[in-house]
C-alpha cells in the first residue's frame, strides 16, 4: 500500500541529498514514484490516478519552494549588481540564467 502524504512537514521540507528521513520532499516524491510503479496493478484505476495526483502535489510543492529560492537569489544578485560599475540586472540575467529577463522578473515577484 502507498504511504500517506506527510501532513505536518508538507509546508516546507528542505532538500538535502544526504538526508534519508521522510522530511525530504525530493526523496519522498521519488519513493512515491517507485511505489506507484511497483504497485500499479494492485491500485486499480482510481488508486493509480490518486497516486499520480499525490505525486503531482508533492512535485508542485517542490517547484514552489524552488521558485521562491530562485527569487531570493535573484534579489541578492540584483542588490549586488548595484555595486558593480557598468553592469545592469537585465544583462546579468541574460548572460547567467537559463531563462529570460521577463521570466526572472516573474520569479522575482513571487519572492
Amino acid at each position: 500500500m502507498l504511504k500517506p502524504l506527510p501532513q505536518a512537514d508538507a509546508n516546507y521540507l528542505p532538500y538535502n541529498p544526504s538526508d534519508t528521513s521522510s522530511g525530504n520532499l525530493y526523496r519522498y516524491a521519488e519513493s512515491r514514484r517507485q511505489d506507484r510503479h511497483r504497485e500499479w496493478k494492485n491500485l486499480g484505476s482510481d488508486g493509480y490516478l490518486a497516486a499520480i495526483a499525490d505525486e503531482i502535489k508533492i512535485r508542485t510543492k517542490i517547484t514552489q519552494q524552488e521558485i521562491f529560492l530562485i527569487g531570493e537569489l535573484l534579489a541578492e544578485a540584483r542588490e549586488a549588481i548595484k555595486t558593480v560599475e557598468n553592469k545592469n540586472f537585465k544583462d546579468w540575467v541574460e548572460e547567467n540564467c537559463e531563462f529570460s529577463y521577463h521570466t526572472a522578473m516573474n520569479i522575482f515577484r513571487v519572492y
Side-chain angles (χ1 to χ4, degrees), residues 12-49:
Y12 181 77
L13 297 173
Y15 173 61
N16 178 351
S18 63
D19 181 8
T20 58
S21 73
S22 63
N24 183 304
L25 277 180
Y26 288 89
R27 289 186 186 283
Y28 189 75
E30 191 53 36
S31 75
R32 293 292 290 199
R33 174 185 292 282
Q34 292 170 4
D35 290 348
R36 180 171 44 82
H37 285 286
R38 185 175 50 251
E39 298 180 21
W40 70 271
K41 290 179 183 175
N42 299 328
L43 295 174
S45 296
D46 289 340
Y48 186 68
L49 289 171

Side-chain angles (χ1 to χ4, degrees), residues 63-72 74 103-111:
T63 302
Q64 290 168 343
Q65 290 177 12
E66 293 301 321
I67 288 173
F68 183 83
L69 293 172
I70 293 168
E72 182 178 37
L74 289 168
T103 299
M105 292 311 296
N106 286 335
I107 294 169
F108 183 78
R109 283 186 204 98
V110 170
Y111 173 72

